[in-house]
Amino acid sequence: MTCGPDETPLPVRVARPSLFLDRLPPPAQPLPRWRVDLAPPDITPWRAGNCGIPGVMHYEGRRPGPHIVCVSLIHGNEFSGAIVLDRLLRMRIRPRSGRLSFIFANPEAMDLFDPRDPVRARCVEEDMNRVWSPATLAGSRSAHEIDRARMLLPVILTADRLLDLHSMLWPGDPLILSGLSAPGRQMARHVSGVETAVADQGHRSGCRLIDHPRFSDDGPAAACLLEAGQHWHDSTVARAMQAVLSLIGPCCGVPVPDAPMVRRTMVVTNVVTARTGAFRFVAPFHGGQVLPARGTLVAHDGRDEIRTPYDRCMLVMPNLRPARGHTAVRFAHAARSPE
């Protein structure tokens, strides 16, 4: 095992000379069969919206207060959040103070969902959670998800608290992600339903919704992304409901559920991107797993070795079948000081 002085992080990637054949794409590995316990919700009543923007249901309270925004369906096959918002809308939940917006971001992707091939409904053209940079939104490039993000932008730019509802393909502990801004990290500590909060800088491949300057600059607005559990499981819906109610309960006069709160706060130090199509983990790791010793071999990327840089390193959402250029895993350690 690689060693180094105490408290000195070790290199994450140990490069090995590669041959030409190593750089050729390997045959695609078949994905496992996924358990699908849920069906997409019928969001027909909400597709037209009620504020001039399709898929956005917006309500105003009688007293002043913050604008709270809950977003679902950034990815079409992650519809646990849409189930939650649909249920709350049918219950006629309304704010007593401030403003409340429920967003069904990409229903056209959800329309593609097929339980026989549940992964392919993630998007229509491209990942909607990589298109939120101002340069992309102000540019000339057109794609379904970019055009849809432009349509939703007026709501995003007025949000004071935003919760983006997601779920996970691979096994892992539920968590809530924030950027590195103080308001986002503080918000993450007060969302119910999960016990781990992770602060990170996003992805090299594009800007997430929670990393839009509205939330990542020095202003007071905050955004978090909830990874409520694995796709298509009832427990994931229940956890997403707990999180949403903990956010909207005070402004809507709804009891906040007695649910787990964040007990562990982590900070991402390294983002490992697959450089080859031959990225392979050495074991079926799960998200939230903590590897005790630094220098532990985690994966091979072609001939390169990927190792933990420090003791008690947490694996954040390892992608067990990463494509070249995609995030394979993130490494995180405990926050150094109280949040």
Side-chain angles (χ1 to χ4, degrees), residues 3-11 294 309-310:
C3 298
D6 288 346
E7 302 303 323
T8 302
L10 300 176
R294 59 184 172 179
Y310 39 76

Side-chain angles (χ1 to χ4, degrees), residues 200 203 208 268 270-271 314-317 327 329-332:
D200 72 350
H203 297 271
R208 301 174 301 189
V268 169
N270 304 88
V271 178
M314 190 177 88
L315 308 184
V316 179
M317 296 181 64
T327 299
V329 66
R330 285 163 278 182
F331 293 149

Side-chain angles (χ1 to χ4, degrees), residues 139-169:
S140 59
R141 190 164 70 87
S142 179
H144 172 78
E145 279 75 15
I146 296 175
D147 296 340
R148 181 66 175 144
R150 291 175 180 136
M151 193 180 300
L152 298 173
L153 190 58
V155 184
I156 304 305
L157 291 176
T158 61
D160 297 304
R161 294 289 181 270
L162 181 143
L163 183 61
D164 189 10
L165 302 168
H166 289 252
S167 54
M168 299 182 288
L169 180 64

Side-chain angles (χ1 to χ4, degrees), residues 195-260:
E195 299 185 3
T196 301
V198 177
D200 72 350
Q201 292 182 310
H203 297 271
R204 293 181 181 178
S205 54
C207 182
R208 301 174 301 189
L209 173 55
I210 67 169
D211 299 320
H212 185 277
R214 171 71 180 176
F215 313 111
S216 59
D217 287 349
D218 294 331
C224 292
L225 186 158
L226 175 71
E227 295 285 1
Q230 277 193 274
H231 303 334
W232 320 308
H233 289 194
D234 290 316
S235 60
T236 301
V237 176
R239 197 172 291 109
M241 178 66 82
Q242 292 171 342
V244 171
L245 289 177
S246 72
L247 184 64
I248 72 171
C251 76
C252 295
V254 178
V256 176
D258 182 13

Side-chain angles (χ1 to χ4, degrees), residues 70-86:
C70 297
V71 182
S72 68
L73 293 183
I74 286 287
H75 298 134
N77 62 341
E78 300 180 26
F79 46 77
S80 58
I83 292 174
V84 168
L85 300 190
D86 174 64

